[in-house]
Amino acid sequence: MKCRFLIAAALAASVAVPATATELEVTHWWTSGGEAAAVAEFAKAFNAGGDTWIDGAIAGSGGVARPIIVSRIIGGEPMGATQLNHGRQAEELIEAGLMTDLTDLAVKEGWADFVNPTSLLDACTVDGRIYCAPVNIHSWQWIWLSHAAYEKAGVPVPTNWDEFTASAPALRAVGVVPLAMGQQSWQTSGAFGVLTVALAGPEVWLKVVKDKDVDTVMGPAYTAVFEAFGAARQLSDGADIQDWNQATNMVITGQAGGQIMGDWAQGEFQVANQVAGEDYTCLPGLGVNKIISTGGDAFYFPLVDDADIKAAQLRMASQLMSKEVQVAFNLKKGSLPIRGDVDLSSANDCMKQGLEILASGNILPDGNQHLSPDTNTQLEDLMVEFWNDKSITPAEVQKGYASIIADAD
Ligand code: BGC
């Protein structure tokens, strides 16, 4: 009896049940297998705290979800919490006074002391106030390669971009598509960014993305990248797919040699029980320059009048940043945690490479930390058109790119 009482008391002490358990609708675009497994960790933790996570997943990736999320908030139908990329996506909502200021919580919990790199918190900060809880670091700078595909072709798994393009004919000869690329516009635009960082170098890329320097877009380093990207277009012929995770699936099943994609692709390999280094290889910086970008996801909380919801929003924000939730979520998501003081010894080889690069400091901001959502959309539309229409020349797309950057804010 006494023992049972003690166990019950210990349990009650470990689960701080909120005074008013609250339902919170949470919107996000995590709908692939790996993403769903990861976000379930957030829901599990929130529910274990006594509140209820009402899942508001929006299918079709960020490009589809973000306008829906933003228009609901502007239109007065806010959700309790939402995923966005940390960066400029919530800027207008914050300026319009529609988002909850998390500064007091952040100061109380000392976020600035453990968030690493500090740029993640900067990306949540507007006019000195913190409006989001960063939950991970996702990097775009990777190519994922299928061991089964290269084995079938009888050639070694490439170790860099040049070897990758050189191996394409061998893959074609055995019916394998060299490069899996889905049709959503952000995929082609993202891949172009990765190729730019690898071939032209991070400083050149930053001159365009950060300083909006049109001369750099028209200069020789970018010319070479537009040409390389133009030549790569034929590598995805035969990949008749839309979604990024369908492209990852082509790599997993050996139907494609590789995919340029952010490290969220790792979640898909994981749910397919594939092992990094055995079934697939990941090359940061396309094997040219070991670098990662430090974008990712953050949770924002629309401002509401209801005091119970406000309190639940703060409970969620605090939990998302906690050590336990950071580890559980990021191990499934394939992303790196936002705090350096957690144990990630069970991370796979690719995550370990990411952690080492992060520690080395060879990092970049994410493009959408510098470009407005509007500029990003214009670049995405341009690059998907270029990818699909081989009659557009690299010189033509370069001019189009330069005129978007000239007007970028
Ligand atoms: C997000 C990732 C997500 C990916 C694909 C990115 O914008 O940061 O968390 O997995 O989109 O849906």
Side-chain angles (χ1 to χ4, degrees):
M1 251 340 241
K2 193 175 172 204
C3 177
R4 239 194 266 157
F5 171 75
L6 284 178
I7 292 172
L11 274 177
S14 67
V15 180
V17 179
T20 319
T22 304
E23 290 187 347
L24 218 57
E25 186 204 359
V26 189
T27 48
H28 58 85
W29 60 89
W30 287 325
T31 54
S32 75
E35 292 173 330
V39 72
E41 292 293 336
F42 282 160
K44 197 166 84 185
F46 191 58
N47 293 339
D51 293 301
T52 306
W53 173 289
I54 307 289
D55 200 73
I58 303 172
S61 89
V64 175
R66 282 189 296 269
I68 297 175
I69 292 167
V70 169
S71 70
R72 272 192 55 184
I73 298 171
I74 291 177
E77 274 183 75
M79 59 297 295
T82 191
Q83 171 208 6
L84 284 174
N85 298 119
H86 39 74
R88 297 187 57 188
Q89 290 168 1
E91 205 171 70
E92 289 180 6
L93 298 174
I94 294 167
E95 280 161 5
L98 294 170
M99 306 308 272
T100 295
D101 182 336
L102 302 172
T103 313
D104 290 349
L105 177 71
V107 169
K108 188 172 125 217
E109 298 190 340
W111 291 4
D113 299 334
F114 61 75
V115 171
N116 173 50
T118 47
S119 58
L120 299 179
L121 217 45
D122 297 343
C124 286
T125 305
V126 175
D127 293 336
R129 311 293 298 174
I130 296 171
Y131 290 91
C132 66
V135 296
N136 63 9
I137 303 170
H138 260 317
S139 167
W140 250 110
Q141 314 297 321
W142 299 84
I143 187 166
W144 308 88
L145 301 164
S146 164
H147 288 198
Y150 286 96
E151 201 172 305
K152 189 172 173 195
V155 290
V157 177
T159 62
N160 58 43
W161 176 251
D162 283 348
E163 288 180 17
F164 174 75
T165 53
S167 69
L171 294 178
R172 283 281 185 212
V174 292
V176 171
V177 174
L179 183 66
M181 180 77 84
Q183 281 298 309
Q184 293 157 329
S185 56
W186 61 271
Q187 297 182 44
T188 31
S189 183
F192 177 72
V194 175
L195 200 63
T196 310
V197 170
L199 300 189
E203 291 80 19
V204 175
W205 177 81
L206 273 172
K207 274 209 98 37
V208 173
V209 172
K210 189 168 171 216
D211 306 337
K212 325 279 184 320
D213 186 67
V214 176
D215 291 344
T216 303
V217 180
M218 293 308 292
Y222 258 69
T223 303
V225 184
F226 282 113
E227 278 165 6
F229 201 61
R233 290 180 286 186
Q234 41 100 10
L235 299 180
S236 74
D237 287 348
D240 192 12
I241 43 166
Q242 279 293 326
D243 299 344
W244 68 271
N245 53 312
Q246 292 176 313
T248 312
N249 190 54
M250 287 184 74
V251 178
I252 289 171
T253 54
Q255 296 170 70
Q259 178 190 21
I260 299 177
M261 185 48 59
D263 50 9
W264 44 87
Q266 280 193 92
E268 304 309 296
F269 289 102
Q270 208 153 305
V271 290
N273 289 322
Q274 295 220 329
V275 177
E278 280 177 28
D279 303 307
Y280 67 100
T281 284
C282 53
L283 299 177
L286 304 186
V288 180
N289 172 7
K290 286 193 177 204
I291 193 162
I292 59 167
S293 50
T294 49
D297 303 294
F299 273 67
Y300 289 82
F301 302 88
L303 199 60
V304 289
D305 291 331
D306 188 309
D308 290 339
I309 294 187
K310 269 183 200 285
Q313 288 176 323
L314 297 182
R315 282 196 290 278
M316 182 181 284
S318 163
Q319 215 172 49
L320 297 171
M321 312 277 292
S322 73
K323 289 185 184 179
E324 304 71 33
V325 175
Q326 275 295 303
V327 173
F329 170 77
N330 284 302
L331 281 177
K332 294 213 166 141
K333 190 71 177 65
S335 43
L336 305 180
I338 51 102
R339 43 195 304 164
D341 56 353
V342 292
D343 177 16
L344 273 192
S345 45
S346 57
N348 72 25
D349 281 1
C350 295
M351 279 180 83
K352 284 199 171 124
Q353 284 195 64
L355 287 166
E356 274 164 27
I357 299 170
L358 182 65
S360 79
N362 200 16
I363 57 174
L364 275 176
D366 188 88
N368 65 45
Q369 288 165 351
H370 289 299
L371 298 170
S372 70
D374 182 41
T375 302
N376 261 326
T377 307
Q378 291 178 47
L379 294 174
E380 287 170 5
D381 291 348
L382 177 75
M383 295 318 283
V384 76
E385 203 189 334
F386 177 57
W387 190 265
N388 288 330
D389 182 351
K390 298 193 184 70
S391 73
I392 303 174
T393 65
E396 282 164 347
V397 81
Q398 185 170 18
K399 282 199 195 109
Y401 208 98
S403 75
I404 295 173
I405 293 297
D407 287 341
D409 55 2

